[in-house]
Amino acid sequence: MDWAGWALFGIVATAALTATMISAQMAGLTRLDLPLVLGTIITEDPDRARVVGFFIHLTAGQGFALGYAAVFALLRRADWWIGGLLGTLHVAIALTVLLPLLPGVHPRMASHRAGPASTATLEPPGLFALNYGVQTPAVTVVVHVIYGVVLGLLLQAR
């Protein structure tokens, strides 16, 4: 397995994904502020949460990059299109499983069942993260495919 590539390029791909998601949010394409969502698991302060959430996302991205590197090693092949396919699988799991489960573990996120008495400060993402805007799924798919393509181009299949 390409350990050195994973260590470096996992960070590069995750930073690119996160920067693109932040740019899309700032451009009004989505309301999903992933560093804020992740960081508010740890702290209530939104400014600190964004910093903490950025590093949480980098760590998670590094974990996913390890999975990509393992798949490339198993296939004995790393190509941009295989990375793109893995990115598609990755985002499908994120949008249909991980994000909808987040209200169950996030201390500051409402759930669909919380009702008006909830004191949660974040709304739940919902299936495909549609609660954060109709373009959110498309933006999320594009950035995860880019993530996979970057890893497919940069990692070695050893």
Side-chain angles (χ1 to χ4, degrees):
M1 191 148 74
D2 184 7
W3 293 104
W6 162 73
L8 175 62
F9 301 131
I11 297 274
V12 169
T14 304
L17 182 152
T18 308
T20 306
M21 280 295 290
I22 291 169
S23 298
Q25 191 236 347
M26 293 175 78
L29 298 174
T30 178
R31 290 186 309 107
L32 178 59
D33 185 342
L34 200 51
L36 178 70
V37 168
L38 294 173
T40 52
I41 293 172
I42 307 297
T43 180
E44 288 185 43
D45 181 86
D47 293 325
R48 286 195 177 114
R50 283 186 178 93
V51 173
V52 170
F54 177 79
F55 287 104
I56 291 171
H57 196 243
L58 275 180
T59 302
Q62 199 67 348
F64 279 104
L66 182 61
Y68 282 63
V71 170
F72 294 145
L74 285 171
L75 295 176
R76 293 189 171 99
R77 182 175 185 176
D79 290 309
W80 67 269
W81 63 270
I82 296 172
L85 288 174
L86 290 172
T88 303
L89 176 64
H90 179 174
V91 75
I93 293 167
L95 288 174
T96 61
V97 177
L98 299 178
L99 282 175
L101 287 175
L102 198 54
V105 297
H106 198 300
R108 293 173 186 84
M109 183 175 282
S111 73
H112 290 290
R113 293 172 294 284
S118 175
T119 59
T121 56
L122 296 174
E123 67 181 314
L127 185 63
F128 303 120
L130 282 168
N131 290 353
Y132 293 125
V134 297
Q135 293 176 312
T136 299
V139 168
T140 307
V141 167
V142 167
V143 299
H144 282 82
V145 169
I146 290 170
Y147 172 86
V149 167
V150 167
L151 289 175
L153 289 171
L154 299 177
L155 288 175
Q156 301 290 318
R158 26 177 170 163

